[in-house]
Amino acid sequence: MKRFPFDKKQIEKIIRKHPTPFHLYDEKGIRENARKLLAAFSWIPGFKEYFAVKANPNPYILKILHEEGFGADCSSLPELILAEKTGIRGHEIMFSSNDTPAEEYKKAAELNAIINLDDISHIDFLEKISGLPEIICFRYNPGPLKGGNAIIGEPEEAKYGFTREQLFEGYRILKERGIKRFGLHTMVASNELNPDYFIDTAVMMFDLMIEISREIDMSFEFVNLGGGFGIPYRPEDRPLDLEYISSGIKRAYEEKIKGSRLDPLKIFIESGRLITGPYGCLITKVLHKKNIYKKYIGVDASMANLMRPGIYGAYHHITVLGKEDAPADRIYDVTGSLCENNDKFAIDRKLPEIEIGDILVIHDTGAHGHAMGFNYNGKLRSAEIILKEEGSFQMIRRAETIDDYFATLDFAGL
Ligand SMILES: *Cc1c(COP(=O)(O)O)cnc(C)c1O
């Protein structure tokens, strides 16, 4: 059973001050998890996790992670500014974008971020904007050489990255232009729970870097293995065994990298979901019960607050507060109020009998939850609240108001 470090009484206390719906994060859980990740990969020289800002773009969360030693993986101008405002600068920022506007490269260069180019044509594009920085990374798209999965799709169909041939050409160009420090990046997984997938990716990247460095007579400073580490959304899922992944990568590192010209190669990752996903949940109240051809539970959150179930049928576990141990002997669809029939948090879900006014905990919304929110149908994004280490709670983003929704409109000009 999924648990969260609070009880009904605590939630009721928060609700008296901050009405539902809201996302609630667990600072202690996030910090402990961050330390566990660093411990698992501590053998790697210069190991760094660049937290994928898009997963949870809240400065309070970024600051916690920065305090734990993480950098930021940004892919837009606002994300770069968010990192900057949080005090994350220089090589603690990795900028991995695609279809990049000039001003974004300009800002990334100004912050001295590590820039990860998505296409070979961006070498000239970037050079014109800011000149080439001293260290440059390319994003690799292995195409048919690597299988995908359901969420990320097949690499061959993905718009990202360089082909294998372009990598050789690209590094040759950089070398001719006097660049001496190089990185290589890939991102070929999404919510992947098979640990071998990450080991295989590392092996693929080590082999490729060895080949490139031989052919072009250059070396690499780091490899970035991307994000995509899965989390157990379903109660029966098992969390990824980081020690297993780490020891698999270590074996390959010792075999291929140790003693080669790439030694000591740094390894980076840029995980989002794995870091904060399990340490957030969406708290929502039951407004209505409806019995037609099916039984519906209508809540005060909608897919504007959590889009994953609506857009890709993602499973998010649901707990009815105070009924944790009651038998799940009812079958409900749990819905929001958006005028879209896929605004459902759960379909045919076995749950205990639910009454109007019950509080539901929709689990694992700490990554790609609030962040994906939108305003379709006049829906407003919810607040974010954090349960601090010492047990108090703090609002770290207020809920949007109708005035926020109207802020970009020109009523005066009517
Ligand atoms: C979305 C994204 C990530 C993070 O993905 P998770 O599934 O949250 O680990 C990392 N890198 C890039 C380039 C991304 O687009």
Side-chain angles (χ1 to χ4, degrees):
M1 189 190 294
K2 276 187 188 277
R3 297 275 183 190
F4 206 79
F6 53 69
D7 57 18
K8 193 174 177 193
K9 254 172 89 178
Q10 241 173 322
I11 293 295
E12 282 170 341
K13 193 172 146 210
I14 298 176
I15 291 176
R16 277 198 289 280
K17 207 167 158 206
H18 305 288
T20 53
F22 53 82
H23 286 268
L24 182 62
Y25 305 120
D26 166 21
E27 175 172 358
K28 188 157 176 274
I30 292 172
R31 285 192 188 274
E32 284 172 2
N33 189 40
R35 287 169 201 169
K36 215 172 78 190
L37 178 85
L38 293 182
F41 293 101
S42 60
W43 62 269
I44 298 172
F47 176 79
K48 186 116 186 146
E49 146 73 3
Y50 290 83
F51 178 68
V53 172
K54 78 167 192 268
N56 194 325
N58 188 302
Y60 194 100
I61 301 284
L62 296 185
K63 183 161 167 279
I64 289 174
L65 295 174
H66 191 220
E67 282 168 6
E68 296 298 336
F70 290 8
D73 169 47
C74 302
S75 56
S76 68
L77 184 58
E79 287 183 0
L80 284 168
I81 295 171
L82 203 53
E84 181 185 27
K85 282 177 178 287
T86 309
I88 307 172
R89 310 269 168 93
H91 287 183
E92 290 207 299
I93 301 175
M94 184 111 185
F95 183 62
S96 289
S97 63
N98 69 92
D99 189 21
T100 313
E103 70 265 24
E104 302 203 342
Y105 275 139
K106 196 157 167 268
K107 182 69 182 180
E110 193 186 301
L111 290 175
N112 195 25
I114 299 178
I115 294 180
N116 183 24
L117 297 183
D118 184 65
D119 188 61
I120 193 161
S121 67
H122 289 213
I123 299 172
D124 291 338
F125 187 68
L126 177 65
E127 191 165 37
K128 282 205 192 80
I129 294 161
S130 61
L132 293 176
E134 62 167 336
I135 182 163
I136 294 197
C137 181
F138 291 156
R139 178 171 184 164
Y140 173 45
N141 180 335
L145 302 175
K146 182 95 187 159
N149 74 8
I151 296 183
I152 201 160
E154 295 295 323
E156 268 174 288
E157 298 291 332
K159 63 175 175 170
Y160 308 109
F162 289 53
T163 66
R164 194 181 148 83
E165 293 68 34
Q166 286 172 340
L167 286 180
F168 287 83
E169 198 189 331
Y171 288 116
R172 200 170 279 127
I173 293 170
L174 290 186
K175 201 183 156 200
E176 280 166 18
R177 298 192 191 172
I179 305 297
K180 294 195 173 60
R181 298 171 67 191
F182 306 95
L184 180 62
H185 166 278
T186 199
M187 165 91 186
V188 287
S190 186
N191 193 31
E192 182 58 59
L193 279 174
N194 175 3
D196 289 311
Y197 196 90
F198 299 97
I199 299 169
D200 293 348
T201 300
V203 169
M204 172 185 82
M205 295 294 269
F206 292 164
D207 285 340
L208 178 59
M209 284 188 294
I210 289 164
E211 209 185 318
I212 294 172
S213 65
R214 271 203 200 117
E215 191 161 322
I216 308 201
D217 190 25
M218 52 165 295
S219 188
F220 284 95
E221 197 162 311
F222 70 85
V223 60
N224 185 330
L225 300 175
F229 297 83
I231 58 168
Y233 284 103
R234 292 174 182 272
E236 68 270 22
D237 288 341
R238 300 268 53 89
L240 272 173
D241 184 343
L242 294 180
E243 303 291 338
Y244 175 89
I245 295 173
S246 174
S247 65
I249 293 177
K250 189 173 186 197
R251 258 196 314 279
Y253 193 97
E254 275 164 4
E255 187 197 323
K256 296 170 189 290
I257 303 296
K258 269 272 145 65
S260 81
R261 70 187 294 176
L262 299 186
D263 192 11
L265 178 74
K266 294 176 192 166
I267 301 180
F268 301 156
I269 61 169
E270 51 185 31
S271 175
R273 193 186 315 272
L274 176 74
I275 308 303
T276 54
Y279 306 100
C281 60
L282 176 59
I283 306 290
T284 183
K285 202 176 239 178
V286 176
L287 299 179
H288 298 285
K289 289 175 75 168
K290 171 167 181 168
N291 295 325
I292 48 170
Y293 307 103
K294 296 178 85 171
K295 289 185 173 19
Y296 294 98
I297 298 297
V299 298
D300 60 5
S302 73
M303 68 185 290
N305 307 117
L306 176 66
M307 218 157 71
R308 300 186 68 258
I311 58 169
Y312 25 72
Y315 181 95
H316 280 264
H317 198 65
I318 296 178
T319 302
V320 186
L321 264 191
K323 298 182 181 174
E324 287 84 349
D325 301 313
D329 55 2
R330 304 296 149 107
I331 293 181
Y332 296 117
D333 281 14
V334 179
T335 76
S337 60
L338 215 103
C339 298
E340 285 284 347
N341 196 42
N342 59 348
D343 185 14
K344 293 180 179 175
F345 293 110
I347 296 174
D348 297 329
R349 183 71 57 87
K350 284 189 179 145
L351 288 164
E353 169 141 40
I354 291 177
E355 301 304 333
I356 290 172
D358 277 352
I359 297 159
L360 305 190
V361 179
I362 303 180
H363 294 266
D364 302 315
T365 69
H368 312 294
H370 186 285
M372 278 179 150
F374 59 99
N375 287 127
Y376 182 50
N377 220 177
K379 297 300 170 191
L380 303 176
R381 277 169 287 228
S382 74
E384 297 182 290
I385 294 169
I386 194 158
L387 189 64
K388 297 213 275 189
E389 273 190 301
E390 88 289 356
S392 67
F393 57 86
Q394 180 183 335
M395 183 165 71
I396 56 173
R397 186 196 301 267
R398 68 164 172 81
E400 284 179 334
T401 64
I402 293 180
D403 284 340
D404 293 327
Y405 181 72
F406 288 156
T408 53
L409 299 176
D410 181 15
F411 289 105
L414 289 180

